[in-house]
Amino acid sequence: METSKALAKSNLFSGLTGPEIEQIRGIGIEKSYGKGELIFSDGQKATGFFVNLSGQVKVYKLSVEGREQILHIIGPSEAFAEAALFAGSTFPAFAEPLTPSRLMFFPKDRFLHLIQTNPQLSLNMIAGLSTLLRHFVDLVEELSLKDVGARLSAYLLDLASRSGETRGGDRVLDLEVTKTQLASRLGTISETLSRVLRRLQNHKMIRVEGKRIVILNPEALEEIASGLST
Amino acid sequence: METSKALAKSNLFSGLTGPEIEQIRGIGIEKSYGKGELIFSDGQKATGFFVNLSGQVKVYKLSVEGREQILHIIGPSEAFAEAALFAGSTFPAFAEPLTPSRLMFFPKDRFLHLIQTNPQLSLNMIAGLSTLLRHFVDLVEELSLKDVGARLSAYLLDLASRSGETRGGDRVLDLEVTKTQLASRLGTISETLSRVLRRLQNHKMIRVEGKRIVILNPEALEEIASGLST
DNA sequence: CGCCACATTGAAGGCAGTCAAAGGTGGTGG
DNA sequence: CCACCACCTTTGACTGCCTTCAATGTGGCG
């Protein structure tokens, strides 16, 4: 997709005029990253933030032993590391592409100037941060209060609700990431995820076909997701 | 403390002129809550947000089985549920005073109007949300990647760094909440917290005196907090 | 064809939650 | 002033979910 188009689709820039978006684009720096190339590290000095133009980026934390917790998987037109502009001066996590990605980097100073003079941009930023906050509240709730089965079920139902695909009345969804990455997003490891997927399949709630999952019994999944059954 | 003073101390209103703060105060509604009285519930329609004038409020999630995860303990002059104004239309958690509290409630519509016309207020809101976001990223990291010992050590060191008190060269801190509440904040239960406190005390890293904790060996605690030792 | 990353399955062990019971503590009212 | 009661804290025994370790299976791609 062309750069301006990708920027215009971002929630961060919605409601802005064409010239405003061109102005914003003018202060951004486009850069491509190969798969696995580190974009930034936890604790590194933050000099700006990013908007993803194309590809898929994971934002994650690492434990001392090397276990990974994915905080967020960033799709096209989504911003990340915005909060680093305003709180602390370092990146709060690692970022790395899952697929080759084109990003636009916005230097802190120039963007802060923009936001101070553009009320609509301010409001968009507030809305984006609020949405992100809700996302993290959900993540905390799940990690602390729910088991892996419930977390997986909730994740699958959420994905299914976004996917329009059906097959014979059943919703079909595509985990766009490897199961190892999904495990990391769910706060567990691939072995555990594998066992839980098998259990759900044995109970005829889902069918697993590689990276595609068929939802056979959404009601039962809802029940597990809410923690009512095991 | 007098209401306007408490509002002026809030980061959300910092940098605003006296008249602006009076205007803001004008749209707020003051209300007192007794200990344990529910302020709002998870999923309830959000009609505004709150600033704590005095007292202590916990914001928390509940599991189906009734286990509690505290997301945030709100002290005087801090705002909460701000994000509910901009993302979703429901409160994302429960809120309840830990001590009798005076709150100021700001209705959504009138406050949105204010923020659209006051750039400084917008920026303050962005800064506050960013700080909160960082708080939740830390919480996710700890819940997912660290054991209870590490979470407790990090919490104690953080509290100690804010407390000015020392005794014979050792820092002394006051857990301002019950140990049951602390356990809930750390994503565990009082029994487990009790055992971990005892273990740290047996290792001569801390001394527990009711709600006061003396830090005897901060270096060792640092090591545990970072996950390097058990 | 063979490598390599990803995925699956089994066995074993540990951290933390549950259940149960016995102190401790603070606040309230008689 | 003190006795009672509700709530908090501590300790022990047990259970279970999930991680760790190890080995084998599988699929895509040079």
Side-chain angles (χ1 to χ4, degrees):
Chain A
M1 181 161 34
E2 192 221 317
T3 302
S4 290
K5 290 273 173 53
L7 288 183
K9 285 190 78 172
S10 169
N11 288 328
L12 184 54
F13 302 129
S14 78
L16 299 184
T17 65
E20 281 174 328
I21 290 181
E22 281 310 310
Q23 182 192 12
I24 287 166
R25 183 189 171 174
I27 72 167
I29 298 158
E30 202 172 325
K31 180 146 187 231
S32 291
Y33 289 84
K35 183 181 169 185
E37 187 180 353
L38 202 57
I39 301 169
F40 55 73
S41 292
D42 193 357
Q44 181 184 327
K45 189 145 184 51
T47 54
F49 79 103
F50 296 86
V51 171
N52 184 10
L53 299 175
S54 68
Q56 223 176 13
V57 174
K58 70 173 173 185
V59 177
Y60 61 100
K61 285 273 191 181
L62 288 179
S63 74
V64 175
E65 305 89 31
R67 206 156 70 77
E68 172 187 292
Q69 169 70 49
I70 293 183
L71 299 174
H72 208 177
I73 295 177
I74 313 287
S77 293
E78 289 185 72
F80 59 102
E82 319 97 292
L85 294 188
F86 305 97
S89 54
T90 58
F91 292 114
F94 298 90
E96 188 185 309
L98 291 173
T99 65
S101 300
R102 279 191 316 125
L103 306 180
M104 184 154 257
F105 173 78
F106 293 97
K108 185 167 175 169
D109 295 343
R110 306 186 69 176
F111 194 81
L112 284 180
H113 179 71
L114 269 190
I115 214 171
Q116 279 160 7
T117 55
N118 191 326
Q120 181 63 48
L121 187 54
S122 278
L123 289 174
N124 288 347
M125 179 67 83
I126 291 173
L129 291 172
S130 297
T131 302
L132 208 48
L133 212 43
R134 210 163 256 266
H135 166 76
F136 280 117
V137 167
D138 289 345
L139 193 51
V140 168
E141 176 184 17
E142 298 192 338
L143 289 173
S144 175
L145 301 174
K146 299 189 172 174
D147 62 24
V148 174
R151 306 208 285 270
L152 173 61
S153 299
Y155 189 90
L156 293 179
L157 289 170
D158 184 56
L159 260 194
S161 73
R162 299 179 202 282
S163 154
E165 304 175 59
T166 59
R167 183 197 298 166
D170 293 326
R171 270 197 185 279
V172 181
L173 60 88
D174 184 356
L175 314 172
E176 298 165 332
V177 296
T178 67
K179 286 176 183 158
T180 301
Q181 299 297 336
L182 174 57
S184 169
R185 163 63 184 73
L186 295 176
T188 184
I189 57 179
S190 57
E191 293 96 317
T192 298
L193 175 62
S194 186
R195 290 183 239 271
V196 176
L197 279 170
R198 171 150 303 280
R199 203 178 65 223
L200 294 182
Q201 186 166 35
N202 287 343
H203 289 12
K204 307 252 185 283
M205 298 176 185
I206 61 174
R207 185 164 50 247
V208 182
E209 304 170 348
K211 284 189 177 181
R212 300 184 75 73
I213 311 277
V214 186
I215 306 288
L216 300 175
N217 188 344
E219 293 78 15
L221 286 178
E222 283 284 6
E223 202 164 287
I224 291 183
S226 66
L228 292 173
S229 58
T230 322
Chain B
M1 180 161 35
E2 191 223 315
T3 301
S4 290
K5 288 276 171 52
L7 287 183
K9 283 189 80 172
S10 168
N11 289 328
L12 185 55
F13 303 129
S14 77
L16 299 184
T17 65
E20 282 174 328
I21 289 180
E22 281 310 310
Q23 182 192 10
I24 287 166
R25 183 190 171 176
I27 72 167
I29 300 157
E30 202 172 323
K31 179 144 190 234
S32 290
Y33 289 83
K35 183 182 169 184
E37 186 180 355
L38 202 55
I39 301 169
F40 55 73
S41 293
D42 193 358
Q44 181 184 328
K45 188 144 183 54
T47 54
F49 79 104
F50 297 85
V51 171
N52 185 10
L53 299 175
S54 68
Q56 225 176 11
V57 174
K58 70 173 173 183
V59 176
Y60 62 101
K61 285 274 191 179
L62 288 179
S63 74
V64 175
E65 303 89 33
R67 209 157 67 77
E68 172 187 291
Q69 169 70 50
I70 293 184
L71 300 174
H72 209 175
I73 295 178
I74 315 286
S77 294
E78 289 186 71
F80 60 102
E82 321 98 291
L85 294 188
F86 304 97
S89 54
T90 58
F91 292 115
F94 299 90
E96 188 183 309
L98 291 173
T99 65
S101 300
R102 281 192 314 126
L103 307 180
M104 183 153 259
F105 173 76
F106 294 97
K108 185 168 173 169
D109 295 342
R110 306 185 71 176
F111 193 80
L112 283 180
H113 179 71
L114 268 191
I115 213 171
Q116 278 159 9
T117 55
N118 190 324
Q120 180 64 48
L121 188 54
S122 278
L123 290 174
N124 288 348
M125 180 67 82
I126 291 174
L129 291 172
S130 297
T131 303
L132 208 48
L133 213 43
R134 209 164 258 265
H135 167 75
F136 280 117
V137 167
D138 289 346
L139 193 51
V140 168
E141 175 184 17
E142 296 192 340
L143 289 172
S144 174
L145 301 175
K146 299 189 172 174
D147 62 25
V148 175
R151 307 209 285 271
L152 173 61
S153 299
Y155 189 90
L156 293 180
L157 288 170
D158 183 56
L159 260 195
S161 72
R162 301 179 200 282
S163 154
E165 304 175 60
T166 59
R167 182 199 299 167
D170 294 325
R171 270 197 184 279
V172 181
L173 59 90
D174 184 355
L175 313 171
E176 300 163 333
V177 296
T178 68
K179 286 176 185 158
T180 301
Q181 298 297 335
L182 174 57
S184 170
R185 163 63 183 74
L186 295 176
T188 185
I189 56 178
S190 57
E191 292 96 319
T192 297
L193 175 62
S194 186
R195 290 182 238 272
V196 176
L197 279 171
R198 171 150 305 280
R199 204 178 64 223
L200 294 182
Q201 186 165 36
N202 288 343
H203 288 14
K204 309 249 184 284
M205 298 175 186
I206 61 176
R207 184 163 51 247
V208 182
E209 303 170 348
K211 284 189 177 181
R212 300 184 73 73
I213 310 276
V214 186
I215 307 288
L216 300 176
N217 188 344
E219 293 78 14
L221 286 177
E222 282 284 7
E223 202 164 287
I224 290 182
S226 65
L228 292 173
S229 57
T230 321

